[in-house]
Amino acid sequence: MSSSPQLSSQSPLTTGESEVIAIFVQMTQVLGVPRSLGEIYGLLFATPQPLSFQDIADRLKLSKGSVSQGLRFLRAVGAIKPVVIAGDRREFFEPETELRALVSGFLRERLNPQLESWGARAKALKIQDFVSDGMSQNPAIKSDELKTLSNRLDKLKTWQKRANTVLPVIGKLLG
Amino acid sequence: MSSSPQLSSQSPLTTGESEVIAIFVQMTQVLGVPRSLGEIYGLLFATPQPLSFQDIADRLKLSKGSVSQGLRFLRAVGAIKPVVIAGDRREFFEPETELRALVSGFLRERLNPQLESWGARAKALKIQDFVSDGMSQNPAIKSDELKTLSNRLDKLKTWQKRANTVLPVIGKLLG
DNA sequence: CATTCGGTTCAATTCAAAATGAACAAATTA
DNA sequence: TAATTTGTTCATTTTGAATTGAACCGAATG
């Protein structure tokens, strides 16, 4: 038995399935993630039964490599849930459909790590690094300009903290 | 006079400038926008004086085309502000540095339009489009599966409304 | 133990999006 | 009015990220 019982893995997509997939593919463009993620999640969303690895590859005509990587990402952000089916060695998947879980998973796994790295770099900035220290063929920075620059760097350093207070709230607002 | 007074347009970037630019380039990857946007905004952020079109192209070694398109986008989302300098035909630019303005501009110009289109498509979905209406070589959908599918489509249709209530709040939280 | 099954990894390829640069336009100056 | 400056547009090229596919691995099966 190579495919799910009662499920013809290589039948063409229905109109509805194609449309749901298209919607999620459209979202991938905004989120800046690969198109295949939208296809996989969309197919799972449009299918009441859990699907196996092979089901997904067959119906979407994606390579095993793409499906493997796609599922890994979707699992990492909590967008899909593994389903164990008794007496079947394969992994099955169904979609997480709570908006709150989807959004906060994405924020946690994608945005937060970047924010941290970004905040660390911002903190390391020194005014000193902005004066071109060549043989003074460059004009000295005026004091009001120095002030402006200093203000900007200070602002930059506060951004991470502010993001860290706001982001957790978003999840709650959606809950 | 082909460059800003007292500003050597093609001098190499200082350490500080390079680092600020790198930080904003890193952000572009999360946001899913072109790298050049981060370079342009980063340079403006790291420079106390307003810069002209040509200043930007020279210092970043970007083509005029890239700078033109980059400035258009940054203006559209309100990330930069035009500055008029008396007796100078050229346009100058300085960065918007309020996090609140930056975030809400981006949400308004990039996310909202997509959300709308996406909500419209979701609303148009009909359960009927998910039954494969071939010569019944496919199994009929069971009633509990129909229920699951119906629930999911309903959820999908509520997502846009929820996003529209939450997104405006984000700006205020950052203010 | 040999073979199939279910899935991962990663180097090579493909492809879409970004950058380029030449042609163009509009305003300015000589 | 010719020449210059400032910036836009858009067809082509470039490039980097996504996808592929073959090699690989461990677990199950005969």
Side-chain angles (χ1 to χ4, degrees):
Chain A
M1 179 188 320
S2 74
S3 77
S4 304
Q6 297 121 353
L7 215 83
S8 53
S9 277
Q10 54 260 55
S11 66
L13 300 171
T14 65
T15 308
E17 286 166 342
S18 297
E19 180 60 12
V20 169
I21 290 169
I23 289 174
F24 285 108
V25 166
Q26 193 182 347
M27 291 195 63
T28 63
Q29 272 134 27
V30 179
L31 298 177
V33 296
R35 163 188 194 89
S36 63
L37 294 182
E39 298 186 24
I40 295 171
Y41 182 82
L43 177 63
L44 290 172
F45 195 96
T47 308
Q49 308 91 354
L51 295 181
S52 73
F53 186 103
Q54 197 61 51
D55 291 333
I56 295 167
D58 287 345
R59 300 211 74 204
L60 294 175
K61 286 167 181 150
L62 286 176
S63 67
K64 292 206 297 175
S66 286
V67 174
S68 180
Q69 293 177 185
L71 290 174
R72 179 199 304 182
F73 177 93
L74 290 172
R75 241 186 307 218
V77 303
I80 63 177
K81 297 178 284 189
V83 175
V84 174
I85 292 189
D88 198 318
R89 180 144 75 98
R90 296 170 294 169
E91 297 182 280
F92 287 79
F93 301 93
E94 64 183 18
E96 167 63 57
T97 63
E98 291 301 323
L99 182 57
R100 172 182 180 162
L102 291 170
V103 170
S104 53
F106 187 83
L107 293 180
R108 175 172 28 77
E109 296 293 324
R110 295 285 285 186
L111 198 49
N112 274 337
Q114 293 290 334
L115 269 182
E116 237 171 280
S117 136
W118 170 61
R121 299 181 75 163
K123 274 193 197 105
L125 292 173
K126 308 285 177 220
I127 272 278
Q128 184 58 29
D129 297 333
F130 291 80
V131 301
S132 63
D133 41 17
M135 297 311 173
S136 79
Q137 75 269 31
N138 284 10
I141 302 183
K142 294 177 192 153
S143 87
D144 62 331
E145 289 168 0
L146 258 183
K147 192 124 191 282
T148 302
L149 188 51
S150 176
N151 276 337
R152 289 195 189 157
L153 297 188
D154 287 346
K155 247 176 200 169
L156 191 53
K157 291 171 189 173
T158 70
W159 286 2
Q160 185 199 5
K161 189 178 303 179
R162 300 223 263 147
N164 279 333
T165 65
V166 169
L167 288 185
V169 178
I170 296 176
K172 300 191 173 154
L173 288 177
L174 288 169
Chain B
M1 178 189 319
S2 75
S3 76
S4 303
Q6 296 121 353
L7 216 83
S8 54
S9 276
Q10 52 262 54
S11 66
L13 300 172
T14 65
T15 307
E17 285 166 343
S18 296
E19 179 61 14
V20 169
I21 290 170
I23 289 174
F24 285 109
V25 165
Q26 193 180 348
M27 292 195 61
T28 64
Q29 271 134 27
V30 178
L31 298 177
V33 296
R35 163 188 193 88
S36 61
L37 295 183
E39 299 186 25
I40 295 172
Y41 182 82
L43 177 62
L44 291 174
F45 194 96
T47 309
Q49 307 93 351
L51 294 181
S52 73
F53 185 103
Q54 196 61 51
D55 291 334
I56 295 167
D58 287 345
R59 299 211 75 202
L60 295 175
K61 287 172 180 144
L62 286 176
S63 68
K64 293 205 298 173
S66 287
V67 174
S68 181
Q69 293 176 185
L71 290 174
R72 180 198 305 182
F73 177 94
L74 291 172
R75 240 186 309 217
V77 303
I80 61 178
K81 297 178 284 190
V83 175
V84 174
I85 291 190
D88 199 318
R89 179 144 77 97
R90 297 169 294 170
E91 298 182 280
F92 287 79
F93 301 94
E94 64 182 18
E96 168 63 58
T97 63
E98 289 302 322
L99 182 58
R100 173 182 179 163
L102 290 170
V103 170
S104 53
F106 187 84
L107 294 180
R108 175 171 30 78
E109 296 293 323
R110 296 284 286 186
L111 198 49
N112 275 336
Q114 293 289 333
L115 269 183
E116 237 172 279
S117 135
W118 171 59
R121 299 182 75 163
K123 274 191 198 109
L125 291 173
K126 308 285 176 218
I127 273 278
Q128 185 57 29
D129 297 333
F130 291 79
V131 302
S132 64
D133 42 15
M135 298 312 174
S136 79
Q137 76 268 29
N138 285 8
I141 302 182
K142 293 175 193 156
S143 87
D144 62 330
E145 289 169 358
L146 258 182
K147 191 121 191 286
T148 301
L149 188 50
S150 175
N151 277 337
R152 288 193 189 158
L153 297 189
D154 287 346
K155 245 175 201 168
L156 191 53
K157 291 170 190 175
T158 70
W159 286 2
Q160 185 199 5
K161 188 179 303 180
R162 299 225 263 147
N164 280 333
T165 65
V166 169
L167 288 186
V169 178
I170 296 175
K172 301 191 172 154
L173 289 176
L174 288 169

